[in-house]
Amino acid sequence: MKILSIQSAVAYGHVGNSAAVFPLQRIGVEVLPVYTVNFSNHTGYGAWRGPLISPDDVREVITGIEERGVLPGIDVVLSGYQGGEGIAEVILDAVARVKAANPAAVYACDPVMGNAKSGCFVAAAIPILLRDRVVPAADIITPNQFELGFLTETEPADLESTLASADLARAMGPSTVLVTSVERPERPEGTIEMLAVTDEGAWIVQTPHIPMKANGSGDVTAALFTAHYRASGDAADALARTTSSVWDLLSLTHASGERELQLVEAQESYAHPRMQFAVEQVR
């Protein structure tokens, strides 16, 4: 499998491609990383250095890849955080080029815009651009519950309303929705869930909640789920594998006391997930 991953990159820490590439490689996926920024560290520190790469330069890199004749072999285009408005058109153009070369390829979009605690943390135009232009072109999207609500102009809360919101999102274009952090009021205290919804059904998985902010964990989640689902076509299995790997990554990071994901240290959890959490079909 080959994935063209168009995301940010940092020298220190693990977000964007700096979070997604290694876990994908560890499960045997060939990744072609294209960077949208090249920062010293993620912006959560409040200070960083390095360039925001212009949309024209990002497009040039993709054109160079195309000139090597590799687009017919690309199975997935993956995108995440979009720092500026111009990058969306570059990504959509890349998706169109890849699908023209390989009609079986899919586009997986992590529509990063914010969360319930902090609200939107991207430029004001980005959520609207994601909703109106990018998400309708995607085959797979991986929003959290807050982002799902914005995309569908709903307020998903319990399981029923979250399923309904996921169906509205699927009606926009994507056939598969992974809701990466479901916090329904009826769940047991101290737990958190992920929900996958496809044409074939819907599945939920529950884990203990690890009390930490983990920049980059959503990037790992989107990458692993997309790769597993693309490989097997089995959303329940992809959900189980992804949940196992990401929970072990977060658990190891929390135990370390470090702020940054212990991405390399947790590598066995990607290659050999323990499958320790039961996936329940809910539709």
Side-chain angles (χ1 to χ4, degrees), residues 234-272:
D234 186 333
D237 181 71
L239 182 60
R241 291 179 181 276
T242 302
T243 301
S244 175
S245 298
V246 174
W247 193 87
D248 278 348
L249 167 63
L250 293 177
S251 181
L252 181 63
T253 301
H254 186 250
S256 76
E258 297 290 333
R259 176 172 179 171
E260 295 291 345
L261 291 176
Q262 300 301 287
L263 196 79
V264 175
E265 290 82 353
Q267 61 181 286
E268 285 303 309
S269 69
Y270 325 134
H272 306 289

Side-chain angles (χ1 to χ4, degrees), residues 8-132:
S8 59
V10 294
Y12 172 70
H14 300 289
V15 299
N17 269 333
S18 302
V21 171
F22 178 65
L24 287 172
Q25 291 172 330
R26 196 64 181 83
I27 64 171
V29 174
E30 183 73 35
V31 187
L32 288 72
V34 175
Y35 301 151
T36 55
V37 309
N38 190 12
F39 288 165
S40 55
N41 51 270
H42 69 70
T43 58
Y45 285 95
W48 64 93
R49 295 180 183 270
L52 181 70
I53 300 172
S54 76
D56 286 344
D57 286 338
V58 176
R59 193 188 304 271
E60 279 291 290
V61 172
I62 296 168
T63 298
I65 294 171
E66 184 178 34
E67 290 170 348
R68 302 288 72 77
V70 300
L71 295 196
I74 291 176
D75 301 288
V76 177
V77 179
L78 174 66
S79 72
Y81 171 77
Q82 298 185 18
E85 297 175 44
I87 198 64
E89 292 304 324
V90 176
I91 292 169
L92 291 172
D93 179 60
V95 170
R97 291 199 224 179
V98 168
K99 288 193 171 189
N102 177 13
V106 299
Y107 171 37
C109 170
D110 185 6
V112 179
M113 60 182 78
N115 56 59
K117 291 182 180 178
S118 60
C120 282
F121 50 63
V122 298
I126 297 295
I128 297 168
L129 186 61
L130 285 168
R131 183 189 65 201
D132 295 347

Side-chain angles (χ1 to χ4, degrees), residues 167 170 175-177 196-203 225 229 233 235-236 283:
D167 285 340
R170 294 192 325 112
S175 59
T176 299
V177 175
V197 186
T198 75
D199 291 339
E200 286 71 42
W203 297 265
F225 178 82
Y229 186 45
R283 193 172 67 192

Side-chain angles (χ1 to χ4, degrees), residues 95-229:
V95 170
R97 291 199 224 179
V98 168
K99 288 193 171 189
N102 177 13
V106 299
Y107 171 37
C109 170
D110 185 6
V112 179
M113 60 182 78
N115 56 59
K117 291 182 180 178
S118 60
C120 282
F121 50 63
V122 298
I126 297 295
I128 297 168
L129 186 61
L130 285 168
R131 183 189 65 201
D132 295 347
R133 292 277 292 121
V134 181
V135 165
D139 301 287
I140 300 168
I141 61 170
T142 58
N144 60 35
Q145 202 169 17
F146 171 84
E147 292 161 344
L148 177 64
F150 179 89
L151 291 172
T152 57
E153 299 181 86
T154 60
E155 295 184 2
D158 59 9
L159 179 58
E160 182 179 355
S161 61
T162 304
L163 284 168
S165 296
D167 285 340
L168 287 172
R170 294 192 325 112
M172 295 168 65
S175 59
T176 299
V177 175
L178 176 70
V179 189
T180 58
S181 57
V182 178
E183 299 185 55
R184 51 180 175 146
E186 66 267 35
R187 75 191 190 283
E189 186 176 355
T191 65
I192 194 165
E193 296 164 313
M194 282 205 290
L195 173 72
V197 186
T198 75
D199 291 339
E200 286 71 42
W203 297 265
I204 198 164
V205 61
Q206 185 178 98
T207 72
H209 179 251
I210 299 173
M212 62 177 293
K213 181 179 180 181
N215 295 89
S217 59
D219 303 317
V220 177
T221 300
L224 287 177
F225 178 82
T226 296
H228 287 310
Y229 186 45

